Amino acid sequence: MFEFGIKDFVDIFCVALMLYYIYRLMKESRSLNVFIGIMVFIVVWLFVSQILEMRLLGSIMDKLVSVGVIAIIILFQEEIRKFLYNLGAHRRVNGIIRLFVSGDNKDKVDMESIMPVVMACMNMGKARIGALIVIERISSLDDIVETGDIIDANINQRLIENIFFKNSPLHDGAMVISKKRIRAAGCILPVSHSIDIPKELGLRHRAAMGISQDSDAIAIVVSEETGRISVAIKGQFHLRLSAEQLESILTRELDF
Ligand SMILES: Nc1ncnc2c1ncn2[C@@H]1O[C@H](COP(=O)(O)OP(=O)(O)OP(=O)(O)O)[C@@H](O)[C@H]1O
């Protein structure tokens, strides 16, 4: 007699939750049809090999399924990476990790480093100079730094303004700040394909959103068109910020 206990209920619930999460991830990355295709294939495979017990077709499909796992990993490496990143970056998981790994506080971006950034953003906003500044937190931005030019200088308001000044060789792309230093400029960030970003925001904002979705970095954008300042953190935009709001967000997020 088939028994259905609490363990089976939890089992089914976990599988349903996992499928729902994969469905959402696929929907966000516009791969929903591929997900539906895989589901249809699995249902047909189970039907053919388990219920109808058709040996020839079943064995062909068994082979396809065993190769299919590798194919899925290759096809969805970006989504799998994002899923694992989200899992690792989850607030509760992060909280537990921080209990064991204490950060190197002497290298943490502090108030002294924030003010030049805030002041430079305000000045650039007033002068309608576009800028994109990414501040590293726990996840490393080494791969992003490699796409630009190394600077390795103290955080200095005039230097920031100078780098983003129109026609300066490094004004294009993003500046990366890490461990109380301006590490690089002219860096290329991953561009977000999210459909939730307002249409009037262009590539600079999409790049800020992209890095905030891929890492725990804070991305500050100064719009060349409007002079407005925005911040992207963990896939969320804080738009049209004043100096005080920018300062308070940075202070809070950099955890003083
Ligand atoms: N992937 C990227 N990584 C880094 N910087 C980028 C990236 N894509 C675009 N940019 C920067 O954004 C600039 C283009 O900005 P665009 O006008 O498309 O954006 P925007 O969001 O409308 O901002 P603005 O309001 O300043 O016009 C580029 O010149 C470049 O400096």
Side-chain angles (χ1 to χ4, degrees), residues 130-134 144 147-149 163-164 168-176 184-189 203-204 207-208 220-222 224:
L132 179 51
I133 302 172
V134 184
I144 300 292
T147 64
D149 291 277
I163 284 170
F164 286 111
S168 135
L170 293 178
H171 83 282
D172 232 5
M175 171 186 284
V176 175
C187 302
I188 301 166
L189 306 182
L203 272 181
R204 205 190 307 272
I220 310 169
V221 188
V222 181
E224 190 174 357

Side-chain angles (χ1 to χ4, degrees), residues 34 38 70-79:
V34 184
I38 293 170
I70 299 168
I72 286 173
I73 292 173
I74 296 169
L75 268 175
F76 295 110
Q77 52 177 310
E78 197 48 48
E79 284 78 7

Side-chain angles (χ1 to χ4, degrees), residues 97-225:
I97 290 169
R98 275 186 213 195
L99 285 178
F100 299 100
V101 186
S102 58
D104 196 352
N105 280 334
K106 81 175 168 28
D107 280 340
K108 224 159 112 183
V109 179
D110 56 11
M111 204 64 186
E112 229 174 278
S113 326
I114 282 181
M115 281 327 283
V117 177
V118 174
M119 297 312 292
C121 288
M122 287 302 136
N123 284 348
M124 291 189 288
K126 276 185 210 141
R128 298 275 202 274
I129 294 171
L132 179 51
I133 302 172
V134 184
I135 306 177
E136 185 185 63
R137 289 202 278 185
I138 295 174
S139 33
S140 164
L141 295 179
D142 286 354
D143 53 335
I144 300 292
V145 167
E146 275 171 23
T147 64
D149 291 277
I150 301 290
I151 294 181
D152 195 22
N154 281 330
I155 303 175
N156 175 305
Q157 180 189 338
R158 296 209 311 171
L159 178 59
I160 297 173
E161 289 178 33
N162 207 287
I163 284 170
F164 286 111
F165 193 73
K166 284 166 199 163
N167 300 332
S168 135
L170 293 178
H171 83 282
D172 232 5
M175 171 186 284
V176 175
I177 291 181
S178 131
K179 301 188 178 79
K180 290 188 185 172
R181 309 279 292 169
I182 297 177
R183 268 189 76 194
C187 302
I188 301 166
L189 306 182
V191 174
S192 170
H193 296 283
S194 169
I195 46 170
D196 300 328
I197 300 174
K199 292 275 179 292
E200 64 272 18
L201 303 180
L203 272 181
R204 205 190 307 272
H205 290 82
R206 284 197 167 268
M209 179 56 86
I211 193 68
S212 82
Q213 287 169 334
D214 275 19
S215 72
D216 65 352
I218 300 171
I220 310 169
V221 188
V222 181
S223 166
E224 190 174 357
E225 224 170 280

Side-chain angles (χ1 to χ4, degrees), residues 25 76-87 143 190 213-215:
L25 211 65
F76 295 110
Q77 52 177 310
E78 197 48 48
E79 284 78 7
I80 294 170
R81 208 188 78 86
K82 205 167 159 186
F83 168 75
L84 294 175
Y85 172 76
N86 285 342
L87 199 65
D143 53 335
Q213 287 169 334
D214 275 19
S215 72

Side-chain angles (χ1 to χ4, degrees), residues 9-44:
F9 178 77
V10 172
D11 194 14
I12 292 171
F13 179 75
C14 289
V15 171
L17 204 69
M18 197 176 77
L19 284 177
Y20 173 69
Y21 197 81
I22 295 172
Y23 166 81
R24 260 187 44 192
L25 211 65
M26 295 282 176
K27 202 173 165 200
E28 275 171 25
S29 62
R30 285 173 291 149
S31 314
L32 190 59
N33 287 343
V34 184
F35 175 73
I36 293 170
I38 293 170
M39 286 295 121
V40 170
F41 183 85
I42 290 173
V43 169
V44 172

